[in-house]
Amino acid sequence: MKFNKILLLCLLAFTFSFNLFSQVFDPVKWETKVEKISDTEYNLISTATIDAGWHLYSQNVPNNGPIPTTFVYTESKDFELIGKTSEEEGETIDDPVFQMRIKYFGEKAEFSQRIKVLNKELSLVEGEVEFMVCDDEKCLPPTYIDLTFNLKDAEDTKEIPAGMALNLTGNTTKILEPVKWSTSVEKLNDTELILVSTATIDSGWKLYAQNIEEGGPIPTSFDYTLKDGIELVGSTNEEKGEESIDKVFDMKIKYFKNTTEFRQKIKVSDATISSIVSEVGFMACDDTQCTAPTYIDLEYDLTKTVVASSDIYENSEADDDESSEGLWSIFIIAFFSGFVALLTPCVFPMIPMTVSFFIKQSQSKAKGIRNAIIYGLSIIVIYVLLGTIITAIFGADALNALATNVWFNLIFFILLVVFAISFLGAFEIVLPNSWANKADKQADRGGLVGIFFMALALAIVSFSCTGPIVGTILVEAASKGGIAPVIGMLGFSSAIALPFALFAAFPGWLNSLPKSGGWLNTVKVVLGFLELALAFKFLSQADLVLQLHFLEREVFIAIWIAIFGTLSLYLFGKIQLPHDSPLKHISVGRLLFGLLTLTFTIYMIPGLWGAPLKIISAFPPPLDYSESPYGVGNSKAGGASITDIPEGAHLLAPHDILAFNDYETGLAYAKKVGKPVMLDFTGWACVNCRKMEQNVWVDPQVLSKLKNDIVLISLYVDEQIDFPEGEAPDSKLRPGKKLKNRGQKWSEMQTIRYKTNTQPYYVLMDHNEENLNEPVAYTPDIEEYEAWLKEGIGNFKD
């Protein structure tokens, strides 16, 4: 077969050369132009205009097929190639002559090669293209054409997003660029500069802030490429922006309109550095569509600066009211947590002992009160110092980034499980005895220093009870970022210190305190159960990000039912743990709390059958992240049995539509069952995608077609699943770059194949990947969308 194909090519070429004297064919005309991306990067564009009826073949042709189009650029020390030469989508057919699928171009084709100029004096780049063309009757022999690219005549394309530098204008394009970026540099002094990234946003569009809760839209992010001699100072500040409650995401979301600035302070120790590059990732939405997560390179020219008006941006996130509200909530939660810590066996017995000591050792009641107040303030200083150290080590906003990281969520989960097991009595978490002994020796010195070290000794001795609570507060504060750890420790320590000052001022109140006893250990055990339940929230977040489906909604709720059910049995005296005192009777308070936990446990049980459980909606995974959106033992598949799910597919909640998330797997299944394919370019953070699913897909006529007449392939353009190490494919839109994740693969597929980059976007196609009708975007009209489905399905059957 291989020999026959080669012989066929030779015969075609011979036939053509034999008749060459009678007719000369020149079906392909080549033109070149240059697009300027930055001061150092250019796109070399080669445009082929092809006569009607002729085919120019792709650069990638299977072995033993026609000669592929090939570009060779004259090597030079004045420039370097970035990536490979990219090309348009073209058309792919099953060629009957070569008996293989071959990609070709008709009428017009454009090829783009990114280069980086190393010598600013470079004006010309030369190259050669080899190609072969055929029509329905004949093929021309391989042809070689010299190409010349004049950099001096380059078209300035700085307004074209770097991610779309590949020319996609061969067909009508719907690629939107609602956000345009520009950069500038402000000078504070000889060593400190501010990098300013300005986003100009089209009317009606929203650009999202840097800090968005997990489960919301894709936040804006900056990744700076740092050279030796450049140091980032703090985090990237942003303007105040606007906020609103998004009904789809069910959260308050911050965004920007019209124009906004992001400012990053840097310290420069090497004056020879002339520029810095960063990559900005962002997502934008309007009322009908969202762009896929987009990544653009920004360059900051350090040789062109203006004098900075101030060091701190006036409308930065630090001044945001929401930030203040978040800090107040952290303070209040930590304050009440401090009161809970007072009721543990490590702290509660210390109150009368310590206050009595101050009163007896003081020469007067006033001095005793003063010393007790200083003791309380020393406790506050110690814990606030801990929060300050945590913030200083990790940076003002780094903890926020860590809290949303998969590995740190796993670390938080392990920490909370260890804390819980400690509270349940398996072991005690204690600091080295040498620390407490040294603190006690310093406390013997008396005076203000002695009082401070008495407070330090209390913090160390009581660590087995307060440590897990303090750790939990710091973990929760990390999700807020900024100075939240400091505020958290201020609230916690204030609650710890307050009783010492009050009981010192009014010692008669000591008689009203309940006696120490087994109830203190009960408080500690209850805290252990709560810590254990909270731990699974962090494990769930990690599972959601990785989309592993190990801890789906039913499993999470089942774990909580088990935890709080066991807690109820403990409170009713049916279970005893280490360090528990013999229980002769149940107190009224313990009985009431046991009834409360039992009620909560019963409340969660219907969650296994699809109940929304609004009281705890912030903790378990969402309804659509489950084995079945309608709960255990319930199916609404409408013709598709839940046991008949093919490999690689799942039931898309909440409609139980059989769906695939991988293009090749879904296409193979469609061929197997003989149904057309509906490509659903969507996103986890796509507002209007959810509106379509919740408002349009629920219509009986639409839902019936989606379940029974098509094979749905949902491609999530913001899927954050990374490729295995070393297997990330090259980006076709950003030569020289690798794709970041699976979502970017689907985003580039949509952009290149369909000349659009917004979601939702729906395509009906046959098994040869040809469109059955015109693709549609956001279509809230149910009748219009149903008619579109009916038309495409009918064309497939015809």
Side-chain angles (χ1 to χ4, degrees):
M1 179 63 69
K2 180 177 178 181
F3 175 79
N4 291 338
K5 292 179 180 178
I6 296 175
L7 179 60
L8 176 60
L9 282 175
C10 294
L11 288 175
L12 288 172
F14 175 78
T15 301
F16 173 79
S17 60
F18 182 79
N19 294 287
L20 186 63
F21 65 90
S22 59
Q23 187 176 6
V24 176
F25 294 95
D26 186 18
V28 182
K29 309 291 190 303
W30 289 90
E31 295 180 353
T32 63
K33 66 176 181 179
V34 181
E35 292 179 350
K36 184 177 181 181
I37 305 303
S38 67
D39 290 340
T40 59
E41 292 189 356
Y42 295 80
N43 275 340
L44 309 182
I45 308 296
S46 304
T47 302
T49 303
I50 308 161
D51 288 351
W54 290 84
H55 296 160
L56 172 70
Y57 292 100
S58 167
Q59 298 176 95
N60 302 308
V61 174
N63 292 334
N64 304 323
I67 301 298
T69 301
T70 305
F71 291 87
V72 178
Y73 301 91
T74 304
E75 293 185 3
S76 172
K77 297 181 180 180
D78 295 333
F79 72 93
E80 63 181 22
L81 302 179
I82 301 178
K84 299 178 180 179
T85 301
S86 55
E87 64 186 24
E88 295 182 278
E89 182 185 0
E91 300 181 44
T92 303
I93 62 169
D94 290 312
D95 192 285
V97 176
F98 294 101
Q99 298 180 13
M100 63 178 64
R101 289 182 64 80
I102 298 177
K103 176 181 174 182
Y104 68 88
F105 305 99
E107 297 183 0
K108 190 176 183 179
E110 289 193 352
F111 303 84
S112 177
Q113 173 64 56
R114 180 78 63 89
I115 67 168
K116 183 176 183 180
V117 174
L118 306 177
N119 181 2
K120 293 184 178 181
E121 301 301 322
L122 179 66
S123 60
L124 294 177
V125 175
E126 295 181 342
E128 180 184 74
V129 57
E130 175 190 10
F131 62 96
M132 174 179 177
V133 290
C134 297
D135 64 6
D136 294 338
E137 299 177 353
K138 53 187 170 297
C139 293
L140 302 186
T143 306
Y144 302 87
I145 299 292
D146 292 330
L147 302 175
T148 301
F149 304 89
N150 191 339
L151 303 188
K152 300 303 180 183
D153 295 334
E155 299 176 6
D156 195 336
T157 58
K158 285 186 178 180
E159 291 302 317
I160 296 178
M164 301 299 169
L166 174 64
N167 192 305
L168 298 171
T169 58
N171 299 314
T172 302
T173 178
K174 298 178 183 178
I175 297 173
L176 299 180
E177 185 198 350
V179 182
K180 300 177 180 63
W181 292 87
S182 61
T183 62
S184 60
V185 181
E186 296 181 0
K187 184 175 182 179
L188 290 169
N189 51 55
D190 290 340
T191 60
E192 293 183 319
L193 304 172
I194 296 178
L195 308 179
V196 182
S197 306
T198 303
T200 303
I201 308 159
D202 288 351
S203 177
W205 287 81
K206 300 175 182 177
L207 173 69
Y208 294 100
Q210 297 177 93
N211 297 315
I212 301 290
E213 291 184 36
E214 187 174 340
I218 301 298
T220 300
S221 61
F222 291 86
D223 183 10
Y224 299 90
T225 302
L226 300 180
K227 304 176 182 178
D228 292 337
I230 298 290
E231 176 186 354
L232 297 181
V233 180
S235 57
T236 302
N237 286 330
E238 63 185 24
E239 294 186 79
K240 188 173 183 179
E242 302 179 34
E243 286 184 327
S244 62
I245 298 293
D246 191 285
K247 295 181 180 179
V248 174
F249 292 108
D250 193 25
M251 64 175 67
K252 184 181 286 187
I253 296 177
K254 178 181 174 182
Y255 57 88
F256 307 102
K257 287 186 172 182
N258 301 323
T259 184
T260 189
E261 287 186 352
F262 299 85
R263 301 165 68 86
Q264 173 65 58
K265 186 175 179 180
I266 64 170
K267 189 172 184 180
V268 182
S269 57
D270 184 353
T272 62
I273 298 176
S274 60
S275 66
I276 292 179
V277 174
S278 75
E279 181 184 72
V280 57
F282 64 96
M283 172 180 178
C285 296
D286 66 3
D287 293 336
T288 63
Q289 57 200 339
C290 294
T291 62
T294 306
Y295 301 90
I296 290 178
D297 292 329
L298 302 178
E299 186 172 5
Y300 308 85
D301 190 344
L302 304 188
T303 64
K304 299 177 181 178
T305 62
V306 296
V307 178
S309 56
S310 64
D311 191 351
I312 302 175
Y313 197 77
E314 295 179 355
N315 294 322
S316 68
E317 178 69 15
D319 296 326
D320 195 359
D321 292 338
E322 176 65 18
S323 178
S324 299
E325 293 176 8
L327 293 178
W328 271 112
S329 66
I330 284 291
F331 178 85
I332 294 172
I333 293 173
F335 187 78
F336 282 104
S337 298
F339 276 125
V340 172
L342 285 171
L343 302 179
T344 59
C346 308
V347 181
F348 186 81
M350 300 292 292
I351 298 175
M353 294 171 53
T354 306
V355 173
S356 298
F357 171 81
F358 278 120
I359 294 175
K360 293 177 181 179
Q361 294 298 319
S362 302
Q363 298 175 353
S364 64
K365 180 180 179 180
K367 189 172 182 180
I369 293 174
R370 187 199 68 179
N371 289 342
I373 292 174
I374 294 174
Y375 180 73
L377 291 175
S378 298
I379 294 174
I380 294 175
V381 169
I382 290 169
Y383 281 102
V384 170
L385 185 62
L386 173 62
T388 304
I389 292 172
I390 294 295
T391 303
I393 291 174
F394 291 101
D397 291 312
L399 282 172
N400 179 40
L402 295 181
T404 58
N405 180 275
V406 170
W407 290 108
F408 276 85
N409 270 293
L410 293 175
I411 291 173
F412 291 159
F413 165 72
I414 294 172
L415 281 177
L416 292 182
V417 168
V418 172
F419 293 160
I421 294 174
S422 172
F423 270 161
L424 293 176
F427 55 84
E428 287 191 354
I429 302 174
V430 295
L431 294 176
N433 291 329
S434 59
W435 293 17
N437 295 334
K438 290 180 180 178
D440 285 336
K441 290 181 180 179
Q442 293 296 328
D444 294 337
R445 296 171 56 182
L448 296 179
V449 174
I451 293 175
F452 176 82
F453 278 98
M454 282 186 65
L456 180 60
L458 171 68
I460 294 173
V461 171
S462 64
F463 182 79
S464 61
C465 291
T466 60
I469 300 176
V470 169
T472 304
I473 293 172
L474 289 174
V475 167
E476 284 298 312
S479 65
K480 300 295 181 182
I483 60 171
V486 177
I487 299 300
M489 291 299 94
L490 177 62
F492 177 82
S493 58
S494 297
I496 293 286
L498 186 61
F500 290 95
L502 289 177
F503 284 114
F506 306 99
W509 289 4
L510 291 173
N511 298 325
S512 63
L513 286 178
K515 295 182 180 180
S516 300
W519 67 273
L520 290 176
N521 189 67
T522 300
V523 172
K524 189 176 178 182
V525 170
V526 170
L527 287 176
F529 279 104
L530 296 178
E531 293 264 3
L532 187 61
L534 182 61
F536 284 94
K537 173 178 179 288
F538 292 96
L539 183 62
S540 172
Q541 288 178 341
D543 184 64
L544 274 169
V545 172
L546 294 175
Q547 291 291 300
L548 297 177
H549 290 269
F550 287 156
L551 192 61
E552 294 179 318
R553 184 178 177 87
E554 293 91 345
V555 178
F556 183 97
I557 293 174
I559 291 173
W560 270 38
I561 290 173
I563 291 173
F564 285 96
T566 306
L567 174 58
S568 300
L569 293 175
Y570 173 79
L571 292 171
F572 289 138
K574 302 301 181 181
I575 296 175
Q576 280 198 326
L577 294 174
H579 310 303
D580 278 338
S581 302
L583 188 64
K584 296 180 180 180
H585 66 275
I586 300 175
S587 66
V588 174
R590 181 166 179 161
L591 175 64
L592 293 176
F593 193 66
L595 290 173
L596 179 63
T597 58
L598 179 60
T599 301
F600 180 64
T601 303
I602 296 172
Y603 165 78
M604 288 190 293
I605 292 175
L608 297 174
W609 282 268
L613 305 181
K614 293 183 178 180
I615 294 178
I616 60 170
S617 60
F619 291 91
L623 280 167
D624 60 353
Y625 194 79
S626 60
E627 295 179 8
S628 171
Y630 301 104
V632 176
N634 198 340
S635 174
K636 297 183 180 180
S641 170
I642 198 170
T643 61
D644 295 335
I645 300 176
E647 185 177 355
H650 66 281
L651 293 179
L652 181 66
H655 313 301
D656 276 356
I657 303 170
L658 188 69
F660 293 83
N661 292 138
D662 181 76
Y663 179 78
E664 288 78 12
T665 306
L667 181 59
Y669 179 76
K671 292 179 179 179
K672 178 180 178 181
V673 298
K675 293 182 180 181
V677 169
M678 188 176 95
L679 295 182
D680 168 28
F681 288 99
T682 182
W684 297 109
C686 173
V687 176
N688 294 299
C689 302
R690 301 294 86 78
K691 288 181 180 178
M692 287 291 295
E693 294 162 9
Q694 295 169 12
N695 302 327
V696 179
W697 287 14
V698 295
D699 177 78
Q701 296 297 323
V702 172
L703 191 56
S704 175
K705 290 178 174 60
L706 294 176
K707 286 186 174 183
N708 303 310
D709 299 333
I710 59 99
V711 172
L712 176 64
I713 304 177
S714 295
L715 303 177
Y716 289 84
V717 299
D718 55 0
E719 188 77 75
Q720 297 299 304
I721 299 177
D722 295 333
F723 295 102
E725 186 175 354
E727 296 183 18
D730 294 328
S731 170
K732 296 180 180 178
L733 295 179
R734 307 179 70 204
K737 302 269 187 178
K738 294 287 187 180
L739 294 183
K740 293 179 175 293
N741 46 52
R742 282 169 52 90
Q744 200 174 12
K745 174 183 177 180
W746 307 134
S747 175
E748 286 205 352
M749 173 183 174
Q750 181 191 4
T751 302
I752 296 172
R753 179 178 292 188
Y754 300 107
K755 312 297 189 293
T756 183
N757 62 336
T758 59
Q759 294 77 46
Y761 193 73
Y762 307 104
V763 180
L764 284 171
M765 69 179 197
D766 60 20
H767 299 159
N768 294 322
E769 304 175 67
E770 299 291 338
N771 291 354
L772 294 169
N773 56 359
E774 189 68 23
V776 297
Y778 179 65
T779 310
D781 187 290
I782 294 176
E783 292 184 1
E784 181 182 350
Y785 191 76
E786 194 269 336
W788 174 78
L789 283 172
K790 185 176 181 180
E791 177 192 20
I793 294 169
N795 291 339
F796 177 80
K797 293 179 179 179
D798 293 341

